[in-house]
Amino acid sequence: MNEHSFIETSGRCFISAKDKNNDKYHRILEAAVSVFAKQGIFQSTVSQIAKEAGVADGTIYLYFKNKDDILVHFFSFKAKQVFDLFRQEVDKADNAVEKLRNLIRCHLEEFQRDRNMAVVYQSVTRQNVPTVRKEIKEMSGMYSDIVLEIIEQGQMEDSVRKDLYLSLVKRFILGAVEEVINTWLRSGGKYDLTSMADPLIDLFIRGIGNTN
Amino acid sequence: MNEHSFIETSGRCFISAKDKNNDKYHRILEAAVSVFAKQGIFQSTVSQIAKEAGVADGTIYLYFKNKDDILVHFFSFKAKQVFDLFRQEVDKADNAVEKLRNLIRCHLEEFQRDRNMAVVYQSVTRQNVPTVRKEIKEMSGMYSDIVLEIIEQGQMEDSVRKDLYLSLVKRFILGAVEEVINTWLRSGGKYDLTSMADPLIDLFIRGIGNTN
């Protein structure tokens, strides 16, 4: 259940579909995320999730305590798997600018590839959902740590300014990436989200100010 | 009901509390936003809103069709009032950098001042709530228009680069500001949100890259 496998093909990052479908746990989790994305978490019922997964209602309770517990698993398994992939992609690059590029490209690629996950992730992180407060904090901390590491490396390499308020830079980067994803979701996903990666990194690195 | 009045004191922007409390409509709207912020929109009931507002359940229906309609009013009156204030503050400045500063400062000030509004606004804009899809699109368009205007003025004034992908810059700015607000909300509002305005504007204007 906890086995992850990542496949690298032609420079794109993605998680193997195999892992996510190898048992009922994953099928129910996928079905739940799909139902949550379609109609919102609070309006969704366990019966709807069972129907979407093609299992009996009772089967859900073999794997999850209740609807809230499915959301906890979404963060501690599914979203975490994506964040682990971000880390892997970042570690592949040598310098800070390329690390930032890998992070943002992988973030946009994964969220584009799994739109249901994107909808649920983006909406839950902005809501006050007590049951997953701890998990959201962990995810957010994980992302922050990666960005912080990249910025500090960039400062050592002299590609990033030294007079930065680091905790603000983390929010600045995460916020911009999430709003780009949010706009894409609101548009119905009508364009290639990953095409935003390079212009976005350019904005971070060069900023919008005219330095001449 | 539609009368707005804005007061400017010692350079800070805020909406007069008078307008928001001058009749039951406003009292119910404030109560609803407070209940929504505390426990989420979908878990809130009309009875809870009536109790919070100190009115009978039936009184709610003199002003609003149902809970969804309250949310529509939140956007078309309360949030719009704040956005009108942003526009006023922006118009007070002469150059693009100062306009951007006024926009971001006012945004942080208003969301700090009315934390319930901030919680509801931030959470609804990330959820798929069909009843207010049109209103959210309008708000987002209003903000986009202001940012676009500022960027274009900055380009004419030569304080902003000309080779920018404008629709991305809008998301970049809005996303960063919203994430700063979101982090503040998640922290329980423990620090002065407006202290983030100047460092944030500095990040937009100078960028994080080292230009030396």
Side-chain angles (χ1 to χ4, degrees):
Chain A
M1 216 183 270
N2 285 311
E3 179 212 344
H4 296 192
S5 90
F6 301 112
I7 293 180
E8 166 85 16
T9 314
S10 66
R12 298 180 77 81
C13 76
F14 66 93
I15 298 166
S16 159
K18 182 180 129 280
D19 283 341
K20 298 190 302 182
N21 299 310
N22 62 1
D23 63 18
K24 273 188 189 156
Y25 168 86
H26 293 103
R27 204 162 87 211
I28 295 168
L29 200 52
E30 288 296 318
V33 174
S34 161
V35 173
F36 291 163
K38 228 175 285 162
Q39 57 192 52
I41 294 155
F42 295 109
Q43 300 98 305
S44 304
T45 65
V46 166
S47 284
Q48 288 167 330
I49 295 166
K51 200 180 163 199
E52 176 85 18
V55 300
D57 284 22
T59 308
I60 306 273
Y61 298 104
L62 297 176
Y63 298 90
F64 305 97
K65 272 180 262 168
N66 48 39
K67 200 176 71 174
D68 281 345
D69 192 41
I70 299 181
L71 207 54
V72 171
H73 280 251
F74 166 72
F75 276 97
S76 56
F77 175 73
K78 201 164 156 49
K80 192 180 174 306
Q81 196 179 33
V82 173
F83 275 72
D84 285 345
L85 182 62
F86 292 173
R87 159 63 67 196
Q88 289 201 347
E89 288 301 305
V90 166
D91 288 349
K92 279 182 192 158
D94 293 324
N95 63 63
V97 173
E98 287 313 306
K99 277 179 194 280
L100 188 63
R101 196 179 304 281
N102 284 7
L103 174 65
I104 290 167
R105 192 187 291 136
C106 191
H107 192 156
L108 297 179
E109 271 176 18
E110 278 303 308
F111 276 55
Q112 169 159 269
R113 204 177 58 79
D114 192 344
R115 198 185 303 184
N116 288 335
M117 176 194 67
V119 170
V120 175
Y121 185 84
Q122 295 268 109
S123 107
V124 171
T125 52
R126 283 287 169 94
Q127 286 177 68
N128 186 15
V129 186
T131 40
V132 284
R133 205 173 281 150
K134 187 179 132 270
E135 284 76 12
I136 289 173
K137 217 181 151 188
E138 268 175 26
M139 286 292 116
S140 163
M142 234 189 270
Y143 203 93
S144 277
D145 288 347
I146 297 178
V147 172
L148 199 64
E149 232 182 85
I150 295 174
I151 298 299
E152 284 173 346
Q153 182 175 341
Q155 288 176 326
M156 285 199 298
E157 290 167 1
D158 232 17
S159 57
V160 172
R161 280 166 52 201
K162 292 203 172 60
D163 60 335
L164 289 171
Y165 181 10
L166 289 182
S167 81
L168 188 66
V169 173
K170 294 187 300 191
R171 292 169 226 171
F172 171 77
I173 290 177
L174 179 60
V177 175
E178 292 204 331
E179 183 58 20
V180 165
I181 294 171
N182 200 38
T183 308
W184 174 78
L185 286 174
R186 265 207 306 254
S187 83
K190 288 205 187 83
Y191 49 89
D192 179 19
L193 181 58
T194 57
S195 69
M196 298 288 163
D198 285 327
L200 194 52
I201 292 149
D202 180 63
L203 278 180
F204 290 137
I205 295 303
R206 298 179 54 199
I208 67 168
N210 195 346
T211 54
N212 297 327
Chain B
M1 217 184 270
N2 285 311
E3 178 211 344
H4 297 192
S5 90
F6 301 111
I7 294 180
E8 165 87 17
T9 314
S10 66
R12 299 180 76 83
C13 77
F14 66 92
I15 298 165
S16 159
K18 182 180 129 276
D19 282 342
K20 299 191 301 183
N21 300 307
N22 63 0
D23 62 20
K24 273 188 190 157
Y25 168 85
H26 293 103
R27 206 163 84 211
I28 295 168
L29 200 51
E30 287 296 317
V33 174
S34 162
V35 172
F36 292 163
K38 230 175 287 165
Q39 57 193 52
I41 294 155
F42 296 109
Q43 300 98 305
S44 303
T45 65
V46 167
S47 283
Q48 288 166 330
I49 295 166
K51 201 180 160 199
E52 177 87 16
V55 301
D57 284 22
T59 308
I60 305 272
Y61 297 104
L62 298 175
Y63 298 90
F64 306 97
K65 272 180 260 165
N66 48 38
K67 200 175 71 173
D68 281 345
D69 191 41
I70 299 180
L71 206 55
V72 171
H73 280 250
F74 167 73
F75 276 97
S76 56
F77 176 73
K78 201 164 156 47
K80 191 181 173 306
Q81 197 180 30
V82 173
F83 276 72
D84 285 345
L85 183 62
F86 292 173
R87 159 63 67 196
Q88 288 201 348
E89 288 300 307
V90 166
D91 288 348
K92 280 181 190 159
D94 294 325
N95 64 63
V97 174
E98 287 313 307
K99 277 178 194 279
L100 188 63
R101 197 180 302 281
N102 284 6
L103 174 65
I104 290 167
R105 193 187 290 137
C106 191
H107 191 156
L108 297 180
E109 270 176 19
E110 278 302 309
F111 276 54
Q112 170 159 267
R113 204 177 57 78
D114 192 344
R115 197 185 304 183
N116 288 335
M117 175 195 68
V119 170
V120 175
Y121 186 84
Q122 296 267 109
S123 107
V124 172
T125 52
R126 282 287 170 94
Q127 285 177 70
N128 186 14
V129 185
T131 40
V132 285
R133 205 172 280 150
K134 188 179 131 271
E135 284 77 12
I136 288 173
K137 215 180 155 189
E138 267 174 28
M139 287 291 117
S140 162
M142 233 189 272
Y143 203 93
S144 276
D145 287 348
I146 297 178
V147 172
L148 198 65
E149 231 181 88
I150 295 174
I151 297 299
E152 283 172 346
Q153 182 175 340
Q155 289 177 324
M156 285 197 300
E157 290 166 3
D158 231 18
S159 57
V160 172
R161 281 167 50 201
K162 293 203 170 60
D163 60 335
L164 289 172
Y165 180 11
L166 289 183
S167 81
L168 187 66
V169 173
K170 295 187 299 192
R171 292 168 225 173
F172 173 75
I173 290 177
L174 179 60
V177 175
E178 292 204 331
E179 183 58 19
V180 165
I181 294 171
N182 200 38
T183 308
W184 174 79
L185 286 174
R186 266 207 304 253
S187 82
K190 287 203 188 85
Y191 49 89
D192 180 19
L193 181 58
T194 57
S195 70
M196 298 289 164
D198 286 327
L200 195 52
I201 293 150
D202 180 63
L203 278 180
F204 291 138
I205 296 302
R206 298 180 54 198
I208 68 167
N210 194 347
T211 54
N212 296 328

